[in-house]
Amino acid sequence: MSKQSQAEVIVAGHICLDIIPTIRGQQIGLEALFVPGKLVDVGKAVISTGGAVSNTGIALYRLGSSVSLMGKVGNDLFGEAILSILGGHNPSLAKGMIIAPGESSSYSIVISPPQTDRIFLHSTGANDTYAAADLHEDQLEAARLFHFGYPPLMRSMYQNNGDELAFLLEKVKSNGVTVSLDMAKPDPASDAGRADWRAILTKALPYVDVFLPSFEEIVYMLHRDQYEAWMRESDSGDLLPFAAGDFLSKVAEELLEMGVAIVGLKLGEHGLYVRTTWDEARLSAMGRCSPSEEVRENWLDNEIISSCYQVDVAGTTGAGDCTIAGFLYSLMKGMKLEHVLQTAVGVGACNVEHADAISGIRTGSEVWERINNAWAKHEMKLDLPNWVLDEQQVWVGPHHKKSQRSR
């Protein structure tokens, strides 16, 4: 394979087949659906690929990036369906996929009622055996960015305190490629849920440039006692109302000290929080997607939040993955940080206008056409003391250098 034919971004990690029943009617609580013996009348099932490889990878492709997908499937009917769907977007997308004879492919049944967050019934399948040896290292020669998603749903990535995850990311990083990492919240009763995630992240994050977990995921992994206390306090199980500015800053600082250059915390309906390193050498060491000298000052020692754009929500499947795609796409385009956040939440907003994970994703220029056409944002509802809403319609935090206050 020639360098000219290789993709600028590789998306690796977890992939599955999503089966999404269409649930009719107005808002339906999950408690009304899961009643023993009850028959629920649903519509046509949407069949799509899911997981970070599919959601973030195809979203990046639709935005306009050159993408190679490196997930792992079995040689079964679900695996054939996954490869067929990927190839339907573009045959080149499936060429990097790993096919494991004798293994079963991962699948999810996604329960996503209107106006209600979704739940998943999930089988991890071949994702559990994904290893650094599966990586097509020759493809790294031309890649600018390597994104890895959902290690908590991949057994080999969290066993032995994450030795394999750290080895894989170190392997990529040593080739000069910028590394980004996304997480997933495991079932607390599972082996992944009982793993020592602070130890795993301590080992892996020195090889990660951009770390993009959700608020709930990172609280679970780093502050389990606080997670459990908030879960007891929350009637709905929603932890996002507790995402106050001071706590976000505290968690982000921990992660920066673990070695990452850029921390992004997904805040669901409240938007996206980002904090960046104060160390110019660390930012420069990001590899091929390090911010250029033209915008580097803007990226140093910054802390901002963008709330979400207003849309009619059809479903939230893949919203976080597509938000990440918007972030990475605009990072590769060399944008300023505030524009990267606006792109990220803009792509996330496009996603939730459709029930599945990627049908709503437009090209990058179309997303920015909406943004530039006075696309309204939701009112910020989080507790952000000492934060300021600037002229770019992003909230600027107190933990950023003073020279950034008057952009």
Side-chain angles (χ1 to χ4, degrees):
M1 183 183 295
S2 68
K3 288 187 180 183
Q4 287 76 15
S5 67
Q6 293 181 4
E8 66 174 342
V9 54
I10 295 169
V11 182
H14 182 280
I15 192 167
C16 65
L17 189 71
D18 279 348
I19 304 168
I20 312 172
T22 300
I23 299 176
R24 306 184 182 97
Q26 303 299 316
Q27 182 171 351
I28 303 173
L30 293 173
E31 68 281 356
L33 291 174
F34 290 96
V35 177
K38 181 176 182 177
L39 174 66
V40 179
D41 182 28
V42 298
K44 178 181 177 180
V46 175
I47 307 295
S48 66
T49 48
V53 170
S54 173
N55 296 349
T56 302
I58 295 176
L60 278 163
Y61 169 74
R62 291 172 72 105
L63 285 166
S65 295
S66 170
V67 180
S68 176
L69 304 182
M70 295 180 66
K72 189 173 187 178
V73 298
N75 59 340
D76 54 8
L77 289 175
F78 280 0
E80 291 176 11
I82 289 170
L83 296 175
S84 176
I85 293 170
L86 297 179
H89 292 278
N90 188 312
S92 67
L93 288 173
K95 288 183 178 178
M97 291 290 293
I98 304 148
I99 302 173
E103 296 193 31
S104 62
S105 300
S106 176
Y107 72 93
S108 294
I109 299 174
V110 184
I111 311 299
S112 185
Q115 307 299 321
T116 303
D117 204 1
R118 75 279 189 213
I119 65 170
F120 298 87
L121 307 178
H122 180 68
S123 170
T124 53
N127 294 297
D128 279 342
T129 64
Y130 200 111
D134 288 318
L135 179 64
H136 298 183
E137 192 170 7
D138 59 329
Q139 291 181 305
L140 297 174
E141 295 177 13
R144 298 178 60 210
L145 179 80
F146 179 90
H147 178 69
F148 194 80
Y150 296 10
L153 304 184
M154 307 173 73
R155 182 173 298 276
S156 63
M157 294 293 113
Y158 60 79
Q159 287 181 323
N160 302 315
N161 278 346
D163 282 347
E164 190 69 20
L165 176 62
F167 178 51
L168 183 148
L169 299 178
E170 182 183 17
K171 184 177 182 180
V172 176
K173 187 66 181 164
S174 66
N175 281 269
V177 182
T178 300
V179 175
S180 67
L181 179 66
D182 181 24
M183 304 303 283
K185 183 180 164 295
D187 178 353
S190 68
D191 290 342
R194 292 188 291 268
D196 185 347
W197 282 100
R198 181 175 285 276
I200 294 169
L201 292 177
T202 298
K203 193 176 294 184
L205 291 186
Y207 310 110
V208 175
D209 300 298
V210 184
F211 186 43
L212 296 160
S214 74
F215 176 74
E216 182 181 21
E217 290 160 2
I218 203 60
V219 176
Y220 181 89
M221 292 176 175
L222 294 186
H223 297 280
R224 186 68 179 272
D225 290 345
Q226 183 65 76
Y227 171 87
E228 292 175 348
W230 280 341
M231 286 295 290
R232 290 191 295 269
E233 190 175 340
S234 172
D235 294 334
S236 64
D238 181 10
L239 299 192
L240 288 172
F242 300 103
D246 289 348
F247 190 83
L248 293 171
S249 297
K250 172 186 173 182
V251 170
E253 190 157 332
E254 285 184 87
L255 295 170
L256 291 173
E257 290 175 352
M258 287 182 180
V260 301
I262 299 166
V263 175
L265 302 179
K266 303 187 295 285
L267 303 174
E269 65 184 271
H270 301 287
L272 178 64
Y273 166 95
V274 173
R275 187 162 177 195
T276 65
T277 181
W278 51 85
D279 183 355
E280 185 170 3
R282 178 63 186 92
L283 201 68
S284 299
M286 279 180 57
R288 295 170 190 156
C289 289
S290 176
S292 67
E293 290 186 12
E294 184 180 356
V295 297
R296 186 164 298 171
E297 186 71 13
N298 170 263
W299 279 83
L300 274 172
D301 203 9
N302 211 334
E303 182 181 44
I304 57 178
I305 291 178
S306 176
S307 57
C308 292
Y309 289 102
Q310 296 180 17
V311 293
D312 293 327
V313 177
T316 57
T317 301
D321 295 321
C322 291
T323 298
I324 287 173
F327 190 99
L328 299 177
Y329 169 81
S330 46
L331 170 66
M332 289 189 290
K333 289 292 184 182
M335 295 183 186
K336 289 185 176 181
L337 181 58
E338 56 267 29
H339 296 156
V340 170
L341 255 71
Q342 289 169 331
T343 308
V345 296
V347 175
C350 291
N351 158 266
V352 300
E353 291 179 306
H354 292 252
D356 72 322
I358 49 88
S359 291
I361 306 305
R362 312 180 183 200
T363 65
S365 59
E366 288 175 307
V367 173
W368 265 96
E369 183 177 354
R370 291 185 79 176
I371 292 171
N372 290 330
N373 195 29
W375 195 0
K377 288 185 176 180
H378 285 288
E379 178 185 353
M380 177 57 67
K381 296 181 180 180
L382 298 179
D383 182 18
L384 300 177
N386 303 316
W387 287 66
V388 177
L389 182 64
D390 74 1
E391 67 276 6
Q392 302 281 347
Q393 295 303 298
V394 296
W395 291 86
V396 180
H399 298 93
H400 70 290
K401 60 186 174 183
K402 293 181 180 179
S403 61
Q404 292 287 342
R405 294 187 184 222
S406 57
R407 288 196 296 266

